[in-house]
């Protein structure tokens, strides 16, 4: 019964300590305010560890006639080692105050924990510079040394009798417990640091890919412009060729501008102004825009659109479906048929774009709209990336059904507006 009681309460004390550690790192990880200012981080540590410290004393492992056995020294030492002297002193004051309120004044308690604080605060700066393995060893040895030293102090001051329960609860269990707690803390710290580094690496990778993509796309039209500008210096150049070269150069500059506009459209936030969009009217406008391109590629367009109203940006609606229809036409290099339909399904406006082109594999479908990915050899994926962002901006969704060499069906769904 005695061992069962001890084991039960030892686990309770460890539970209080671990929960306080998890709460500290949860708040620290999710509230940047505590990451930015160390003094507030120390304050959070004091609050979390003092709660576990008080609970350990309130629900001790064993109460002897002359000594209360619990694991209060673990949060006290953890706070001093990781938070420094300021945190340790605050926890010392809280520990002594609660100890006297719950169990009365005891001079040995003051001397023992004051000694623990002085020694631990002295080693705290050194502890902070150690690696994980050395921290585990140092924390365990320091706790064991302080437990032995505290026993000698108690024996010298008050002729304290070291009992079997004292040996287990105060000398053997705390070093093992603090070893476990320090390991948990270091694991949580490493996880937070690794995630922060991973986010930075991903950001740098995105920046490098963006820079490479922009430079590649802009270099092509600028190279063409440079070449035709040099040709304009040719002596005895006819006016007809001069006008032709200037026209081509201007077209390439417009292409460069469109590429930049695609990037800016993806990067800038959604517009604040929204308006009513009549789906059938706006779809027909977009179809008229791409019809010349479809005729050049031997693609026949058929439409069956119904009246429907959604809320969003007309400009973004045009840009979105212009990109999607152009992709469908380019997916049929040998000609084919492009069907555009729309209908009302309960409270949704559904638009379907169906082609019988080259289709996509499952991997290509999963990467649809991903930056810098395109099924075209000369594509950058900007068009689909922008289109997907515009759909999401208007609270819509996009589903893809495709098979290689059979075609692709895009299903775009928007909330229906009854205004």
């Amino acid at each position: 019964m005695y061992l069962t009681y001890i084991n039960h309460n030892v686990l309770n004390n460890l539970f209080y300590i671990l929960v306080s550690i998890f709460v500290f790192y949860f708040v620290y990880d999710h509230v940047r305010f505590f990451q930015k200012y160390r003094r507030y981080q120390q304050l959070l540590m004091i609050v979390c560890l003092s709660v576990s410290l008080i609970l350990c004393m309130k629900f001790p492992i064993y109460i002897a006639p002359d000594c209360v056995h619990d694991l209060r020294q673990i949060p006290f030492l953890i706070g001093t080692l990781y938070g420094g002297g300021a945190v340790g002193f605050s926890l010392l004051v809280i520990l002594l105050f609660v100890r006297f309120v719950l169990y009365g004044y005891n001079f040995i308690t003051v001397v023992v924990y004051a000694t623990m604080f002085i020694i631990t605060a002295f080693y705290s700066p050194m502890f902070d510079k150690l690696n994980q393995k050395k921290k585990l060893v140092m924390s365990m040895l320091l706790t064991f040394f302080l437990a032995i030293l505290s026993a000698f102090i108690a024996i010298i001051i008050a002729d304290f009798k070291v009992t079997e329960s004292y040996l287990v609860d105060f000398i053997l269990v705390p070093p093992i417990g603090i070893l476990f707690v320090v390991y948990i803390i270091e694991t949580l710290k490493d996880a937070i640091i690794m995630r922060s580094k991973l986010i930075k690496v991903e950001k740098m990778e995105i920046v490098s890919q963006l820079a490479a993509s922009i430079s590649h796309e802009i270099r092509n039209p600028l190279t063409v412009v440079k070449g035709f500008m040099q040709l304009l210096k040719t002596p005895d150049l006819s006016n007809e060729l001069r006008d032709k070269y200037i026209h081509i150069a201007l077209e390439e500059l417009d292409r460069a501008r469109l590429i930049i506009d695609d990037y800016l459209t993806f990067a800038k936030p959604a517009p604040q102004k929204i308006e009513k969009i009549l789906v059938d009217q706006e779809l027909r406008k977009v179809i008229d825009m791409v019809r010349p391109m479809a005729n050049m590629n031997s693609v026949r367009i058929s439409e069956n659109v119904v009246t429907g109203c959604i809320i969003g940006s007309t400009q973004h609606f045009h840009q979105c479906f212009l990109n999607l229809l152009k992709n469908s036409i380019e997916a049929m290099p040998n000609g084919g048929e492009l069907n555009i339909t729309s209908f009302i399904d309960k409270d949704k406006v559904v638009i379907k774009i169906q082609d019988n082109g080259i289709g996509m594999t499952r991997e290509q479908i999963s990467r649809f709209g991903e930056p810098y990915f395109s099924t075209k050899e000369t594509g950058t994926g900007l068009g689909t990336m922008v289109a997907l962002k515009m759909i999401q901006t208007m609270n819509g969704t996009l589903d893809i059904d495709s098979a290689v060499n059979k075609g692709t069906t895009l299903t775009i769904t928007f909330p229906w507006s009854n205004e």
Side-chain angles (χ1 to χ4, degrees):
M1 178 66 71
Y2 173 71
L3 290 177
T4 302
Y5 178 78
I6 291 178
N7 291 336
H8 174 73
N9 288 281
V10 166
L11 292 176
N12 282 347
N13 275 208
L14 286 174
F15 174 76
Y16 303 145
I17 297 167
L18 290 177
V19 168
S20 68
I21 297 297
F22 281 117
V23 169
F24 170 80
Y25 278 103
F26 177 82
V27 177
Y28 172 80
D29 187 32
H30 288 80
V31 182
R32 293 186 179 182
F33 180 77
F34 292 105
Q35 299 176 16
K36 190 174 181 180
Y37 301 102
R38 177 168 172 77
R39 61 181 180 273
Y40 294 113
Q41 179 183 337
Q42 291 176 327
L43 179 61
L44 177 64
M45 187 178 294
I46 292 171
V47 172
C48 292
L49 292 177
S50 62
V51 171
S52 62
L53 185 148
I54 294 171
L55 289 173
C56 286
M57 286 190 285
K58 180 64 177 176
F59 305 101
I61 298 171
Y62 179 70
I63 302 178
D66 52 355
C67 185
V68 180
H69 300 173
D70 54 57
L71 299 182
R72 78 186 82 162
Q73 65 266 48
I74 292 181
F76 172 61
L77 296 178
I78 288 292
T80 308
L81 286 173
Y82 282 96
V87 175
F89 182 76
S90 300
L91 292 174
L92 175 64
V93 172
I94 295 171
L95 185 151
L96 294 177
F97 176 78
V98 175
R99 168 66 173 81
F100 299 155
V101 170
L102 293 177
Y103 305 109
Y105 175 79
N106 189 300
F107 179 69
I108 298 178
T109 301
V110 177
V111 176
V112 165
Y113 283 101
T115 304
M116 284 187 175
F117 165 71
I118 293 171
I119 296 174
T120 308
F122 176 78
Y123 283 103
S124 177
M126 183 191 306
F127 179 83
D128 189 54
K129 299 177 182 178
L130 299 177
N131 58 32
Q132 181 177 351
K133 184 176 180 181
K134 291 181 178 179
K135 282 182 178 180
L136 292 171
V137 174
M138 179 179 175
S139 61
M140 184 177 67
L141 294 179
L142 179 63
T143 305
F144 184 74
F145 168 75
L146 291 175
I148 298 295
L149 180 62
S150 300
F152 277 109
I153 292 174
I155 292 172
I156 293 172
I157 293 179
D159 193 22
F160 180 77
K161 292 182 180 180
V162 178
T163 62
E164 180 183 350
S165 63
Y166 184 87
L167 287 173
V168 174
D169 301 335
F170 201 84
I171 296 179
L172 296 180
V173 173
I176 298 173
I178 204 166
L179 177 70
F180 180 67
V181 172
V182 169
Y183 178 78
I184 295 294
I185 291 174
E186 292 300 313
T187 302
L188 292 173
K189 285 176 62 179
D190 287 345
I192 293 174
I193 292 172
M194 287 300 295
R195 190 178 66 178
S196 177
K197 289 182 178 179
L198 181 61
I199 291 173
K200 290 181 180 178
V201 169
E202 289 178 346
K203 288 181 179 179
M204 292 302 297
E205 181 68 18
I206 290 173
V207 170
S208 77
Q209 289 180 348
L210 182 63
S213 181
I214 292 177
S215 63
H216 172 72
E217 291 300 314
I218 299 299
R219 187 187 296 117
N220 291 337
L222 291 183
T223 301
V224 174
V225 171
K226 181 180 178 181
F228 280 102
M229 290 297 104
Q230 290 173 343
L231 289 174
L232 288 173
K233 296 180 181 179
T234 305
D236 302 326
L237 185 67
S238 66
N239 289 332
E240 183 180 352
L241 284 177
R242 185 185 302 275
D243 291 340
K244 180 180 179 181
Y245 293 163
I246 292 175
H247 177 71
I248 295 174
L250 290 174
E251 283 185 339
E252 290 301 308
L253 288 175
D254 283 338
R255 189 159 73 89
R257 179 183 59 80
L258 290 174
I259 292 171
I260 294 173
D261 287 344
D262 278 343
Y263 277 102
L264 293 177
T265 300
F266 181 77
K268 68 184 179 182
Q272 297 296 321
K273 182 181 178 181
I274 59 174
E275 52 193 328
K276 181 173 65 175
I277 300 174
L278 298 177
V279 172
D280 54 331
Q281 293 182 13
E282 303 306 328
L283 271 179
R284 289 192 178 98
K285 291 180 182 178
V286 177
I287 292 170
D288 290 338
M289 293 179 194
V290 300
R291 199 177 294 279
M293 178 183 178
N295 293 334
M296 291 175 59
N297 288 271
S298 301
V299 173
R300 190 173 70 88
I301 298 179
S302 62
E303 61 180 74
N304 182 18
V305 294
V306 300
T307 302
C309 181
I310 64 174
I311 299 297
S313 167
T314 303
Q315 178 185 352
H316 286 176
F317 184 89
H318 287 172
Q319 188 172 2
C320 168
F321 284 93
L322 188 61
N323 286 330
L324 295 179
L325 293 180
K326 285 173 61 179
N327 285 344
S328 295
I329 293 171
E330 291 171 351
M332 297 180 282
N334 300 319
E337 186 171 352
L338 178 62
N339 298 316
I340 300 103
T341 60
S342 70
F343 56 90
I344 308 297
D345 182 15
K346 297 181 181 178
D347 59 344
K348 303 290 184 182
V349 176
V350 182
I351 303 170
K352 287 196 174 187
I353 302 172
Q354 185 177 14
D355 66 65
N356 53 3
I358 59 175
M360 292 186 287
T361 64
R362 288 187 178 181
E363 181 185 358
Q364 290 171 336
I365 293 174
S366 65
R367 299 187 65 184
F368 186 88
E370 182 179 314
Y372 322 113
F373 173 78
S374 175
T375 56
K376 296 175 289 186
E377 293 182 1
T378 59
T380 61
L382 287 178
T384 55
M385 181 176 69
V386 170
L388 189 59
K389 181 176 177 66
M390 294 302 98
I391 292 172
Q392 294 171 348
T393 300
M394 293 187 287
N395 300 316
T397 60
L398 185 145
D399 294 318
I400 304 173
D401 182 17
S402 184
V404 177
N405 297 325
K406 291 185 178 180
T408 301
T409 300
L410 303 178
T411 304
I412 303 97
T413 306
F414 294 107
W416 175 63
S417 173
N418 58 359
E419 294 183 7

